[in-house]
Amino acid sequence: MGVYKDRVTIYEVAKAAGVSLATVSRVINNQSNVTPETKKRVEETIQRLGYRPNALAQGLATSRTTNIGIVLSDTNYMYICNLLSGMIDIGKIYGYQTTLFVTKHSPDEAKEVISKLITSHVDGAIVFDDELDESDIRNIESYNVPTVIIGNKVKGDKIASITLNFIDGIVDFVEKHKNGDKFQFVRIANEGKLIRGVEKGLEEKCRDYIETISCSDSYHEVYSHFVDYFKSIPHGRFICPRDSIACAIQNAALDIGLKVPEDVQVLSIIGTKYSSIARPTVSSLEMDMYEVGSIAMRMVTKLLKDELKNREFVFNSEFVQRASTTE
Amino acid sequence: MGVYKDRVTIYEVAKAAGVSLATVSRVINNQSNVTPETKKRVEETIQRLGYRPNALAQGLATSRTTNIGIVLSDTNYMYICNLLSGMIDIGKIYGYQTTLFVTKHSPDEAKEVISKLITSHVDGAIVFDDELDESDIRNIESYNVPTVIIGNKVKGDKIASITLNFIDGIVDFVEKHKNGDKFQFVRIANEGKLIRGVEKGLEEKCRDYIETISCSDSYHEVYSHFVDYFKSIPHGRFICPRDSIACAIQNAALDIGLKVPEDVQVLSIIGTKYSSIARPTVSSLEMDMYEVGSIAMRMVTKLLKDELKNREFVFNSEFVQRASTTE
DNA sequence: CTGTTAGCGCTTTCAG
DNA sequence: CTGAAAGCGCTAACAG
């Protein structure tokens, strides 16, 4: 069939090096109690045979896998990629691999995914998923998987949480600019809890200055929707979940001959680098998602060692005024 | 300490249900040879006890993990996220989890990452990484891990490859527009092999119409670099690796009072949805990276079952003329 | 249809 | 400092 090595086991290494498996095990785990000569001999044999330990067997024997499970609702948005990137980078520093569990915004899948998470015996988990509620998190906890949950305040022995506070920044903004057109909150179908939470917060705190308008989640559909919209209502102020949506609206306005920000203003709740790439640049609530990811990963690693003092971390977003809104 | 279940094992389920482990095993693996009543009883016990199989033990016993390893150089670019998203979605359909291995464009890390990939005993792998060369892939192959490699033609018994052909589209474009300013290929530091390959191809085939200009990989640095640049050379045609770089250049041009595409033209090799969001819209070579990811995942799953006939898949990019270049 | 038993590859006491 | 042996949780013949 080919030149495939049948995977070499610790047993064969031991035999080839003339020692017992225990010794080989000590060498690959860098334990001190091995003579330098023995160690060298074993290491050479490992090299020569191309031996690689089997992480499954190690995991089974130690009940530690050096794997962190990451639960996300999607990986197709820039800000989620930034988040993911932060987690992975830091995870690597601490020697953790990451296994991805994606739920696609569906509650059913979310439940199933938890099941897989448990089964997979990750050492810890980071959850940034809108469909999971507290009971799901408790479920994970009950299987003894230390978990950091982003965007959902949950307390527990093995749980830490990161709150993403967009609402204060946006309420500030709305309050400061309440004179003029009512703000239109652009509600995207199937949007996650993070954004829904912001919407709810705005409803509570700024009821008088906010209306809601619904759209599908596609740049092109939003764009054409608003081309029509602006034909009858040639002005407005729009609060959008993401920068691509904000761009869709401002592009529609511009293409129809309206002016941004004179006639139409847009503002994005979650900004990415594209907020400052777009023209006009899009005002947004900046939050460094890469940083959020890094912190999250740092928190799980601490949680694993029972060294995490502060179980609750709050990220505040900062409103950044750009060209798509007036001062 | 808390309410943690000590993870229930198959053994305890068997005892509680009054059957042997073999029977429980049969039930959780959905094997047919179990009486409906026994099956029901076991399932109830599983429910009641909250039993979840241990994937490590299963993997050890069967030498199958239902895990696919994905090797990437980065997760911070939109097109890579799209790629990833495609892989994950399809993987899920076939019942595979995905474990991520990220190399951060470093050859050293790349070697180490392969080691981890082997160790982790994934059933298969998808590699989209610029630092790995053929010998690394052979290495993976020699450990019997069926692998799909994106952007690098490698042949082997357990290897399939996907070629991303950007070069033909771009050569076409250059040929058609060779009159006028020489094209400047914008070379980004630490750029991956994919882009370097395009550069090399252009050098070979369009030597007379191409020059190279070097930049760092940051929107803001590229932007300010070109603001300066355009002060002394107020025109040019630029071939950029990604749309954010193209935007940096065209924004610099616009902000300094130049016109796009009259004075300055830009073109992005890899386009994302932001190519059509940017204003002016950016001409680019479209390739649906989500689709690439889906195909890649489909190919590994076939490879695993030895059912893959066509070991080589070529994606051609299509040049899409937008507002940043002239016809 | 169900149970017994021998591994899967590794770690980890416990002796020596 | 090194080896022997038990066990991690599960699967898969093999018997019955």
Side-chain angles (χ1 to χ4, degrees):
Chain A
M1 281 292 288
V3 290
Y4 305 136
K5 315 169 187 162
D6 232 20
R7 300 274 261 242
V8 175
T9 71
I10 198 172
Y11 212 84
E12 306 172 50
V13 174
K15 200 152 101 187
V19 296
S20 74
L21 12 166
T23 303
V24 180
S25 174
R26 284 178 190 117
V27 170
I28 61 183
N29 290 300
N30 237 319
Q31 312 219 26
S32 51
N33 42 358
V34 183
T35 344
E37 300 89 67
T38 329
K39 184 170 177 178
K40 198 175 156 210
R41 187 150 40 93
V42 171
E43 278 169 344
E44 281 169 359
T45 328
I46 289 177
Q47 271 302 319
R48 183 160 53 78
L49 269 46
Y51 166 74
R52 295 275 183 285
N54 180 333
L56 297 172
Q58 290 181 311
L60 190 58
T62 58
S63 53
R64 294 187 1 95
T65 57
T66 66
N67 259 315
I68 301 289
I70 298 184
V71 181
L72 300 171
S73 56
D74 210 323
T75 59
N76 233 343
Y77 296 116
M78 194 68 205
Y79 73 98
I80 295 188
C81 291
N82 296 152
L83 187 79
L84 185 59
S85 200
M87 295 183 199
I88 292 175
D89 285 358
I90 301 303
K92 208 151 63 169
I93 293 176
Y94 288 95
Y96 287 102
Q97 262 87 248
T98 49
T99 303
L100 243 46
F101 299 87
V102 179
T103 63
K104 283 288 159 185
H105 305 287
S106 138
D108 285 355
E109 290 207 32
K111 309 288 181 195
E112 200 184 317
V113 144
I114 292 195
S115 214
K116 296 217 168 157
L117 180 78
I118 307 292
T119 293
S120 75
H121 270 248
V122 290
D123 290 345
I126 301 177
V127 176
F128 179 59
D129 189 293
D130 299 291
E131 299 304 341
L132 298 175
D133 52 36
E134 179 163 343
S135 74
D136 296 314
I137 308 296
R138 295 270 167 242
N139 191 14
I140 301 180
E141 189 190 23
S142 78
Y143 284 95
N144 226 329
V145 181
T147 302
V148 170
I149 154 123
I150 302 178
N152 218 340
K153 218 174 295 179
V154 180
K155 281 186 184 175
D157 210 27
K158 293 278 185 188
I159 300 184
S161 66
I162 294 181
T163 303
L164 307 183
N165 175 17
F166 286 97
I167 185 72
D168 287 352
I170 228 176
V171 166
D172 267 13
F173 176 83
V174 171
E175 294 277 336
K176 253 181 221 141
H177 300 258
K178 51 190 169 193
N179 297 323
D181 282 338
K182 275 200 180 188
F183 286 96
Q184 307 277 329
F185 187 95
V186 181
R187 176 191 293 157
I188 298 297
N190 297 321
E191 191 59 81
K193 222 182 251 167
L194 175 63
I195 299 296
R196 290 205 305 272
V198 175
E199 187 184 352
K200 207 179 296 168
L202 275 172
E203 267 170 17
E204 282 169 18
K205 301 187 182 169
C206 310
R207 183 185 304 279
D208 296 338
Y209 323 115
I210 297 274
E211 282 171 353
T212 298
I213 183 169
S214 292
C215 274
S216 64
D217 182 17
S218 136
Y219 171 80
H220 292 288
E221 287 182 46
V222 174
Y223 175 86
S224 24
H225 178 91
F226 275 90
V227 166
D228 282 347
Y229 178 97
F230 288 132
K231 280 180 188 153
S232 46
I233 313 179
H235 58 92
R237 304 196 289 182
F238 302 90
I239 299 176
C240 310
R242 276 163 284 112
D243 50 13
S244 58
I245 304 293
C247 289
I249 297 178
Q250 78 174 1
N251 282 342
L254 293 167
D255 290 353
I256 217 178
L258 301 178
K259 291 205 167 128
V260 176
E262 291 79 356
D263 305 316
V264 171
Q265 298 187 31
V266 299
L267 144 64
S268 174
I269 298 175
I270 301 176
T272 71
K273 66 175 174 183
Y274 287 99
S275 295
S276 35
I277 292 180
R279 288 309 158 92
T281 53
V282 174
S283 300
S284 70
L285 291 153
E286 294 297 277
M287 188 175 300
D288 184 342
M289 296 306 277
Y290 182 94
E291 179 77 9
V292 175
S294 326
I295 300 281
M297 185 55 84
R298 225 163 247 133
M299 285 173 85
V300 239
T301 62
K302 297 264 178 290
L303 212 49
L304 291 183
K305 293 186 279 184
D306 252 319
E307 279 176 9
L308 188 68
K309 298 154 304 190
N310 196 349
R311 290 287 163 87
E312 230 179 299
F313 203 100
V314 178
F315 268 89
N316 287 302
S317 69
E318 194 188 345
F319 177 74
V320 177
Q321 164 70 34
R322 297 203 183 83
S324 69
T325 54
T326 54
E327 295 265 356
Chain B
M1 280 296 288
V3 289
Y4 305 135
K5 316 169 188 164
D6 232 20
R7 300 275 261 243
V8 175
T9 72
I10 197 173
Y11 212 85
E12 306 172 51
V13 175
K15 200 152 101 187
V19 296
S20 74
L21 12 168
T23 302
V24 180
S25 175
R26 283 178 191 117
V27 171
I28 63 184
N29 290 299
N30 238 319
Q31 313 220 25
S32 52
N33 42 358
V34 183
T35 346
E37 300 89 67
T38 329
K39 184 170 177 179
K40 197 175 156 210
R41 188 149 40 93
V42 172
E43 278 170 343
E44 281 170 358
T45 327
I46 288 178
Q47 270 303 319
R48 185 160 52 79
L49 269 45
Y51 166 74
R52 296 275 182 284
N54 179 334
L56 298 172
Q58 289 179 312
L60 191 58
T62 58
S63 53
R64 295 189 357 97
T65 57
T66 66
N67 259 315
I68 301 289
I70 298 184
V71 182
L72 300 171
S73 57
D74 210 324
T75 60
N76 234 341
Y77 296 115
M78 195 66 206
Y79 74 97
I80 295 189
C81 291
N82 296 152
L83 186 79
L84 185 60
S85 201
M87 296 183 199
I88 292 175
D89 285 359
I90 302 303
K92 208 151 66 168
I93 292 175
Y94 288 94
Y96 288 102
Q97 261 88 246
T98 50
T99 303
L100 243 47
F101 299 87
V102 179
T103 63
K104 282 289 159 186
H105 305 288
S106 140
D108 286 354
E109 289 207 33
K111 309 287 179 195
E112 201 184 316
V113 143
I114 291 195
S115 211
K116 296 218 167 156
L117 180 78
I118 307 293
T119 294
S120 76
H121 270 249
V122 290
D123 290 345
I126 301 176
V127 176
F128 179 59
D129 189 293
D130 299 291
E131 300 304 342
L132 299 176
D133 52 36
E134 178 163 343
S135 75
D136 296 313
I137 308 296
R138 294 271 169 242
N139 191 15
I140 300 180
E141 190 190 23
S142 78
Y143 285 95
N144 226 328
V145 181
T147 302
V148 170
I149 155 122
I150 302 178
N152 218 339
K153 219 174 292 178
V154 179
K155 281 187 183 175
D157 210 26
K158 292 279 185 189
I159 300 185
S161 65
I162 294 181
T163 303
L164 305 183
N165 175 18
F166 286 98
I167 185 71
D168 287 351
I170 227 174
V171 166
D172 267 12
F173 177 82
V174 171
E175 295 277 338
K176 251 180 225 141
H177 300 259
K178 52 189 169 194
N179 297 322
D181 284 337
K182 275 200 179 187
F183 285 96
Q184 308 277 329
F185 188 94
V186 181
R187 177 191 292 156
I188 297 298
N190 298 320
E191 191 58 81
K193 219 181 255 166
L194 176 62
I195 298 297
R196 289 205 305 273
V198 175
E199 187 185 350
K200 206 179 297 167
L202 275 173
E203 268 170 18
E204 282 168 19
K205 303 188 181 168
C206 309
R207 184 187 303 280
D208 297 338
Y209 323 115
I210 297 275
E211 283 171 351
T212 297
I213 184 169
S214 292
C215 275
S216 65
D217 182 17
S218 136
Y219 171 81
H220 292 289
E221 287 181 46
V222 174
Y223 175 86
S224 24
H225 178 91
F226 275 90
V227 165
D228 282 348
Y229 177 98
F230 288 132
K231 281 181 187 153
S232 45
I233 312 179
H235 59 92
R237 303 197 290 182
F238 302 91
I239 299 177
C240 310
R242 275 163 285 111
D243 50 12
S244 58
I245 305 291
C247 288
I249 297 179
Q250 77 174 3
N251 282 342
L254 293 168
D255 290 353
I256 218 179
L258 301 177
K259 291 204 169 129
V260 176
E262 291 80 358
D263 306 316
V264 171
Q265 298 187 32
V266 298
L267 143 63
S268 173
I269 299 175
I270 301 176
T272 70
K273 66 175 173 183
Y274 287 99
S275 296
S276 34
I277 293 181
R279 289 308 159 94
T281 52
V282 174
S283 299
S284 69
L285 292 153
E286 294 297 277
M287 189 176 296
D288 184 341
M289 296 305 277
Y290 182 94
E291 180 76 9
V292 175
S294 325
I295 299 282
M297 183 57 83
R298 225 164 246 135
M299 285 172 84
V300 240
T301 61
K302 296 266 179 289
L303 213 48
L304 291 183
K305 292 186 280 183
D306 252 319
E307 280 176 10
L308 188 68
K309 299 152 303 189
N310 195 349
R311 289 287 163 88
E312 231 179 299
F313 203 101
V314 179
F315 269 89
N316 288 301
S317 69
E318 193 188 345
F319 177 74
V320 177
Q321 165 70 32
R322 296 203 183 82
S324 68
T325 54
T326 55
E327 293 268 354

